[in-house]
Amino acid sequence: MVALREIKSAEEVAEMEAALAVTGAMHVAAMQSSRPGVVEHQVVGIMEGIMRRHDWQLAYPSIFSRRGEVLHNHAHDNVLQKGDLVLNDTGCTSGGGYASDITRTFPVGGRFNQQQRKLYNIVLDMQLQAIAAIKPGVRYLDVHKLAAQVMVQGMSELGFFHGPVEEIVESGAYAIAFPHGLGHQIGMDVHDMEGLGEDLVGYDDSVQRSPLFGLGYLRLGKALKAGMVLTVEPGIYFIPALIAAWQAEGRHSQYINYARFAEMTGFGGIRIEDNVLVTESGSRVLGEPIPKTVEELEAIMQQ
C-alpha cells in the first residue's frame, strides 16, 4: 500500500497544487490581518472563511499562535502585540481529497527586529539548502542533518553553540532548538499513510529510526524517489521547559551556551514549511510562491 501511494501521479500533484492556491490566499490574509490588539482566533476565522467559500475543509487543525515554541499549539486565545512573532501552520484539503501543509512565521506590526531577522534568516537558509539537496536516492535523514548543520553554524555565530558543527549535530545537542523532524510525506493525508505505521512509511531496511531526542521524531528518513511529495519544515524554537531541564542535568554543556539560550525566554519559535515534489533530477516546490523572505513578508504586511 505504501509503495502504491507514495509515488504521486500528475493528477494527484494537480490536486495538491489546487489546495495550495487556496492555502496561499489564507496565509496572505493572515499576514495582513495580524495587527496589534487582534485576537488569534479572529485571524483563524478569516482564514477558514476563505477556505469555506470553496466548501473545503482544513487538512488539520490550524496552528496559529504567538507562542510558536509550543509545537502543535491549537489554542488561539492570545491577543497579538506589536513585535510578536506569529507562527501560522495551516493547510486545507482539495475537493479531490488531497492535503496541503504550509507554515509561515511573521512579525505583528509588519517589521522584524534585528534579532528576529537574524534567526529567521537562519531558518530560511536551512529550508533553502534542504530543498536544494533533495533528489532521488538521497536519504531524507541526511537532508535533515544538513538542515541541522546549517542551523548550528548560524546559531554558533550568534553565541548559542560552541564546538565542531558536525559533532554538535551527531551528538543531538542541536535538538534543544530544533526538536522535531524536517518533514514527512503528504498526499491524501497531511501525514500521508502514517495510519499504516509511521516506520513502514518513513523507514526501510537500510535506514533505522534514531534513538536520539529530536532526530527520533523524524517521520521520513529513507531514500527519496521521484514522485514523492514531502514537507520541508525546519525551525528554531526557544522552549523554556526544555532549556531548563537540559541545563539542570548538564546535558551537552560542552556544546550549548545555556546563558545565551536563557536570554531568549518569550521569543517563541520560527518555522518555514513548503510542500516539495521529488522530480527525476531534483525537486520542485509545489504551488505559486507564498511570501517567505523577510523582504516579501514585510512588504505584504504593509499592504
Side-chain angles (χ1 to χ4, degrees):
M1 185 62 69
V2 172
L4 286 169
R5 281 183 55 181
E6 73 180 359
I7 306 302
K8 304 302 192 285
S9 69
E11 292 83 1
E12 290 177 294
V13 171
E15 280 289 327
M16 297 170 83
E17 293 200 296
L20 285 165
V22 175
T23 297
M26 294 164 69
H27 275 268
V28 169
M31 295 167 191
Q32 295 178 332
S33 303
S34 295
R35 298 182 298 275
V38 172
V39 184
E40 292 166 348
H41 64 72
Q42 293 175 296
V43 182
V44 174
I46 290 168
M47 288 194 291
E48 292 192 12
I50 293 169
M51 174 195 69
R52 291 299 298 147
R53 289 176 206 153
H54 296 263
D55 197 26
W56 289 0
Q57 303 291 333
L58 290 171
Y60 52 92
S62 286
I63 300 164
F64 182 92
S65 180
R66 62 189 292 270
R67 296 287 309 281
E69 81 281 8
V70 181
L71 304 183
H72 295 107
N73 184 356
H74 298 304
H76 304 132
D77 54 355
N78 294 301
V79 177
L80 301 180
Q81 306 292 335
K82 185 175 182 179
D84 286 344
L85 276 182
V86 174
L87 190 151
N88 181 18
D89 187 340
T90 298
C92 65
T93 298
S94 73
Y98 282 79
S100 60
D101 186 1
I102 297 293
T103 306
R104 293 293 185 264
T105 307
F106 49 84
V108 177
R111 297 291 183 193
F112 289 89
N113 65 35
Q114 186 176 16
Q115 182 164 248
Q116 290 169 344
R117 180 183 294 258
K118 289 178 179 178
L119 288 164
Y120 184 92
N121 279 329
I122 292 172
V123 179
L124 183 59
D125 195 22
M126 292 166 71
Q127 198 212 30
L128 294 176
Q129 290 203 41
I131 292 170
I134 291 171
K135 62 181 179 180
V138 172
R139 300 189 310 172
Y140 207 47
L141 170 64
D142 296 323
V143 182
H144 173 98
K145 287 184 176 181
L146 170 63
Q149 290 170 0
V150 173
M151 183 196 78
V152 171
Q153 180 64 51
M155 292 187 73
S156 294
E157 294 170 6
L158 298 179
F160 291 97
F161 295 101
H162 42 77
V165 169
E166 191 167 340
E167 271 187 35
I168 294 170
V169 172
E170 291 300 323
S171 72
Y174 77 90
I176 192 171
F178 179 24
H180 62 75
L182 183 63
H184 50 81
Q185 294 197 63
I186 181 171
M188 293 180 74
D189 248 329
V190 66
H191 291 169
D192 204 28
M193 304 171 289
E194 288 182 4
L196 303 173
E198 194 173 302
D199 283 352
L200 291 175
V201 175
Y203 292 85
D204 57 23
D205 292 341
S206 65
V207 186
Q208 304 299 313
R209 185 185 291 269
S210 170
L212 289 175
F213 176 83
L215 188 56
Y217 296 115
L218 178 63
R219 289 182 161 97
L220 174 62
K222 67 185 182 182
L224 303 174
K225 301 174 186 175
M228 284 182 172
V229 180
L230 46 106
T231 68
V232 184
E233 48 180 307
I236 291 175
Y237 313 85
F238 296 96
I239 306 169
L242 177 63
I243 295 167
W246 279 29
Q247 185 174 16
E249 63 183 69
R251 187 184 296 197
H252 301 304
S253 57
Q254 70 272 37
Y255 301 126
I256 298 171
N257 182 353
Y258 281 105
R260 185 73 177 92
F261 273 90
E263 296 172 3
M264 303 303 292
T265 300
F267 180 91
I270 300 168
R271 182 165 65 252
I272 307 171
E273 176 182 20
D274 285 297
N275 305 158
V276 177
L277 170 68
V278 183
T279 66
E280 294 291 343
S281 59
S283 68
R284 178 171 73 85
V285 177
L286 295 182
E288 292 297 318
I290 301 167
K292 67 177 177 180
T293 68
V294 166
E295 294 74 20
E296 288 169 344
L297 291 170
E298 290 186 342
I300 202 75
M301 293 186 74
Q302 300 305 314
Q303 293 178 10

